[in-house]
Amino acid sequence: MFTLKEVTYNEILHIKELHIPGEKITCIVGESGSGKSTAVKLLNNLISSDAGSIEYKNKPIHTFDTIDLRREVVMVPQTPIIFDGTVKENLLIGLQFSEKPFVEDEKLHAVLETVHLKKSLEESADQLSGGEKQRLSLGRVLIMEPEVYIFDEPTSALDEATEDRVMGNIIKEIKGNQKTAIIITHSKKVAQTYGDLIVEIKNGQIVETKEISNHG
């Protein structure tokens, strides 16, 4: 799906070689400041590398139209982006931006159930707590159904029990639809539980890649 070779960025990153497989869950782990978030921003052209090659679907990433690429490779930042308006409007706005048709309320209710957000579609989104906003932003990207989901610390505002339920549901949906996910996480538990491939970054370099074979 993605192949990076001799990629450098701003003296923050030097990735000798990394392959991120399609239709798998790749977890990127490492301490704060290790370069995890910088690395994934290269994958949808949020930033461009100084040197090296990055391929997506066996084509150089710079040959893709940036807007089209970001509709296919969607990133959910650690701090959720919440728009003025209702829960429903926040769920639909991703479809609006990606010029996809709106979905029925039934689908929106199903997504809220997936992310364990027990809220009315008509509730004001800015009234939600931090954890609820995080789950709302996760729901928004699930509705978009991109090829690749990039999650940056997707459960940082959730307690452990909610994290287990939400991540379990999201991973089940992504795998059921044969999509690809890349998860940045501090949590070794999240990486071990959900990752098919665990990539450890330290000081901007990959120090280990490990395949997990106990779940498909």
Side-chain angles (χ1 to χ4, degrees), residues 46-80:
L46 279 174
I47 57 174
S48 300
S49 62
D50 300 326
S53 67
I54 301 172
E55 290 190 348
Y56 171 58
K57 294 181 174 177
N58 299 315
K59 287 170 58 181
I61 206 159
H62 63 78
T63 64
F64 288 85
D65 176 84
T66 299
I67 291 172
D68 290 343
L69 179 67
R70 288 182 190 160
R71 288 173 179 169
E72 259 191 55
V73 183
V74 175
M75 186 165 185
V76 182
Q78 184 173 351
T79 303

Side-chain angles (χ1 to χ4, degrees), residues 15 56 120 142-143 216:
I15 296 176
Y56 171 58
S120 158
L142 285 177
I143 288 169

Side-chain angles (χ1 to χ4, degrees), residues 88 92 103-112 121 143:
K88 178 176 179 174
L92 291 174
V103 296
E104 299 294 326
D105 285 3
E106 187 181 355
K107 171 77 171 172
L108 301 182
H109 286 299
V111 163
L112 289 178
L121 290 176
I143 288 169

Side-chain angles (χ1 to χ4, degrees), residues 73-92:
V73 183
V74 175
M75 186 165 185
V76 182
Q78 184 173 351
T79 303
I81 297 167
I82 299 298
F83 299 89
D84 289 338
T86 62
V87 166
K88 178 176 179 174
E89 287 165 338
N90 268 269
L91 288 172
L92 291 174

Side-chain angles (χ1 to χ4, degrees), residues 177-211:
N177 292 326
Q178 295 175 303
K179 305 291 189 181
T180 302
I182 300 160
I183 304 172
I184 297 173
T185 181
H186 279 95
S187 167
K188 288 187 175 175
K189 182 185 171 193
V190 166
Q192 292 284 351
T193 305
Y194 303 112
D196 297 307
L197 180 73
I198 299 176
V199 177
E200 185 178 353
I201 295 183
K202 190 173 184 179
N203 299 325
Q205 298 190 39
I206 291 166
V207 292
E208 185 179 25
T209 58
K210 183 167 66 175
E211 286 189 39

